[in-house]
Amino acid sequence: MVLVSVFLEILRKPTIGDVLKELMIFIAPLWIAVIVGVLVGWAWKPKWANIGREMMIDCSVSKDSTPASSDSSSTSFNLISSLNSIKFLLPSCISWITDDEAQSDPFSLPPTVDSNCSSSQIPKGKTSFVTNEDLEHFVNLVEEKDGGPAWIHMMDCSTPTMFYQAWQRDLEAGPTEYRSRTVFEDTTPEMVRDFFWDDEFRPKWDNMLVSAATMEECPTTGTMVVHWVRKFPFFCSDREYMFGRRIWESGRAYYCVTKGVPYASVPRKNKPRRVDLYYSSWLIRAVESRRGDGQLTACEVLLFHHEDMGIPWKIAKVGVRQGMWGTVKKIDPGLRAYQKERTSGNTLSHCAFMAQINSKISADYLRSFESKSNDSSELETHNSSEKPSGKNIPKLLVVGGAIALACSFDRGLLTKAVIFGVARRFANIGKRL
């Protein structure tokens, strides 16, 4: 109301010149405040502001969008979030990346998928890219014995042939971690395993895949080192990443571990940008159908995924929640098409063949991981319980000494109250040590 009254007073001036003069005097402080605010904000801008600017620059020089990208014109935010959320069920499907230092030479691969072009075999005796330690970590994640924070439920969604659940948790350092459980009806663990591994079939349901090449593979363990380039529309250029993947089999349960690995044979380039922090592992096993007939005709997929997307984590979480289900529900039609192609007698692709080379492990071997986890947790609990014993100051001793000290002074109630207050604080400190 004060501003309105001042503005009316200005308009009551007798001449136009006086009105303009008063308006200039009235508006000038506001413009000065705006300019000062812009300068201060620019000087103290956060680091992620540059990331956003580089993303917009990347958008202006990105490749032409594919026909499938035209469907994204409805809402650009839902498109971005759907790109982000596809990772929750697709192993090694996300291509977000942190903005690390990179070389200036552009790197490009032909827009084809060539999964048969294995450059070499992993030499015998060489340290594997995906090891038993990675399996142990994954088993602890599955059993929720990894020592991390509790999972927070996000959603429950379903279609007639698929049921989906998702959880998330935030760590003290690092990006948000996600866990999902998907149940596909009328399929086998082996079919789902091959489906996620088959890079030759993937372009039929994943139109963001530009190229895929197997750099190294081990015919004994089935370990593969794979290079992918993926197309991202609207706001960023293509992304590349190197990841190792391997499958362990226990009965008809398949522990599939996929993680980003360093690979010097493909040097880092400016474009496409490379993913560094990437982890996506899933357990595939047969479960009872949700129809309630007691038959193991359904397949359960437990996925654990996290990566640094190169954008503020809180913003990424919003995009994930908005677009997760819209993307995940499109996977089921791809799986059904893959089933039809496999049952029609088509030749098995090379990647699907490699998916069938698994490291066999027993149930006792898996239980040994659980016992290790239990022993370590008991050791931590034992150490934490022993910690106060050596440094704890007995409260009774401190309070008793305070009583003796107070009785030795004859300075009135105030002195005694001060002594008792100090003693109580020392006793509390002793309990915390």
Side-chain angles (χ1 to χ4, degrees):
M1 295 299 294
V2 175
L3 293 177
V4 174
S5 61
V6 172
F7 186 70
L8 292 176
E9 287 293 334
I10 294 175
L11 294 180
R12 293 194 185 101
K13 295 295 180 180
T15 63
I16 297 296
D18 293 337
V19 171
L20 294 177
K21 180 180 178 181
E22 293 293 334
L23 285 175
M24 292 294 295
I25 296 174
F26 178 73
I27 296 175
L30 298 178
W31 277 109
I32 293 174
V34 170
I35 294 173
V36 171
V38 170
L39 292 177
V40 172
W42 182 258
W44 291 350
K45 63 180 178 178
K47 294 181 179 180
W48 55 263
N50 287 332
I51 296 176
R53 179 171 58 85
E54 292 172 3
M55 285 182 176
M56 297 305 296
I57 294 175
D58 290 339
C59 174
S60 64
V61 297
S62 61
K63 298 178 181 179
D64 295 336
S65 59
T66 60
S69 65
S70 62
D71 297 333
S72 65
S73 59
S74 57
T75 55
S76 60
F77 181 78
N78 284 337
L79 172 60
I80 298 171
S81 59
S82 65
L83 298 180
N84 183 23
S85 63
I86 196 171
K87 66 187 180 183
F88 299 108
L89 193 59
L90 306 185
S92 307
C93 186
I94 291 296
S95 315
W96 296 90
I97 181 173
T98 55
D99 292 324
D100 294 331
E101 294 182 0
Q103 300 179 10
S104 59
D105 295 335
F107 178 81
S108 61
L109 287 176
T112 59
V113 177
D114 185 5
S115 301
N116 295 319
C117 59
S118 175
S119 60
S120 63
Q121 292 186 359
I122 298 176
K124 187 175 181 180
K126 180 181 177 180
T127 302
S128 178
F129 291 94
V130 187
T131 65
N132 288 339
E133 286 74 16
D134 297 309
L135 172 64
E136 180 177 358
H137 173 65
F138 179 45
V139 171
N140 289 331
L141 284 173
V142 171
E143 301 297 332
E144 299 188 34
K145 295 181 179 180
D146 63 309
W151 293 96
I152 300 173
H153 183 261
M154 295 178 63
M155 66 178 65
D156 290 344
C157 300
S158 63
T159 67
T161 56
M162 184 181 73
F163 177 72
Y164 181 77
Q165 295 175 294
W167 298 263
Q168 67 180 16
R169 67 180 183 181
D170 294 319
L171 306 179
E172 293 182 0
T176 301
E177 294 185 350
Y178 295 92
R179 175 171 71 117
S180 69
R181 176 179 180 267
T182 309
V183 177
F184 296 99
E185 296 287 348
D186 302 319
T187 190
T188 63
E190 292 76 18
M191 184 67 68
V192 176
R193 174 201 62 190
D194 297 351
F195 170 70
F196 283 135
W197 224 250
D198 197 333
D199 291 343
E200 295 182 23
F201 185 83
R202 183 178 293 271
K204 297 181 180 180
W205 55 275
D206 179 12
N207 53 32
M208 293 172 60
L209 184 62
V210 176
S211 64
T214 303
M215 311 307 296
E216 293 188 33
E217 62 184 27
C218 177
T220 303
T221 65
T223 303
M224 302 174 68
V225 178
V226 180
H227 177 273
W228 274 12
V229 174
R230 295 182 56 76
K231 178 175 290 187
F232 278 71
F234 180 64
F235 65 92
C236 58
S237 60
D238 293 352
R239 306 296 193 190
E240 72 154 353
Y241 48 91
M242 304 295 309
F243 57 85
R245 59 188 187 186
R246 182 179 176 183
I247 301 176
W248 285 265
E249 177 186 353
S250 178
R252 292 191 66 198
Y254 299 93
Y255 294 80
C256 310
V257 177
T258 302
K259 67 172 189 176
V261 296
Y263 197 76
S265 298
V266 180
R268 185 184 303 275
K269 303 294 181 179
N270 185 36
K271 292 183 180 180
R273 297 179 180 177
R274 180 173 297 181
V275 172
D276 288 314
L277 177 57
Y278 183 85
Y279 182 86
S280 185
S281 299
W282 62 105
L283 169 61
I284 304 173
R285 58 191 174 189
V287 294
E288 290 187 10
S289 171
R290 290 176 57 83
R291 301 187 185 100
D293 54 9
Q295 301 297 317
L296 298 178
T297 57
C299 178
E300 178 188 63
V301 179
L302 298 178
L303 175 81
F304 295 83
H305 184 101
H306 69 269
E307 66 173 297
D308 191 348
M309 303 176 186
I311 60 176
W313 296 330
K314 291 185 178 180
I315 296 177
K317 288 172 65 175
V318 174
V320 166
R321 180 174 291 276
Q322 292 294 326
M324 181 185 294
W325 173 240
T327 301
V328 169
K329 67 181 180 181
K330 298 177 182 178
I331 301 171
D332 190 54
L335 174 61
R336 307 307 167 183
Y338 187 72
Q339 284 181 293
K340 290 182 179 179
E341 183 168 305
R342 287 286 295 272
T343 55
S344 64
N346 291 341
T347 304
L348 194 68
S349 70
H350 181 70
C351 286
F353 171 77
M354 291 298 297
Q356 299 179 7
I357 303 176
N358 309 144
S359 300
K360 304 295 191 298
I361 54 177
S362 64
D364 292 336
Y365 185 70
L366 293 175
R367 281 192 290 269
S368 69
F369 292 153
E370 298 179 21
S371 62
K372 280 184 183 180
S373 177
N374 292 334
D375 292 342
S376 62
S377 62
E378 289 176 3
L379 180 60
E380 290 176 0
T381 304
H382 183 65
N383 291 338
S384 62
S385 63
E386 286 185 349
K387 184 178 179 181
S389 61
K391 299 181 180 179
N392 187 31
I393 301 175
K395 186 175 183 180
L396 182 61
L397 180 62
V398 175
V399 174
I403 293 174
L405 183 63
C407 292
S408 65
F409 284 93
D410 188 12
R411 295 287 185 258
L413 294 176
L414 180 60
T415 303
K416 293 179 174 59
V418 171
I419 293 174
F420 279 118
V422 173
R424 184 173 59 183
R425 288 185 177 274
F426 271 105
N428 291 334
I429 293 173
K431 289 174 64 178
R432 293 193 298 268
L433 290 176

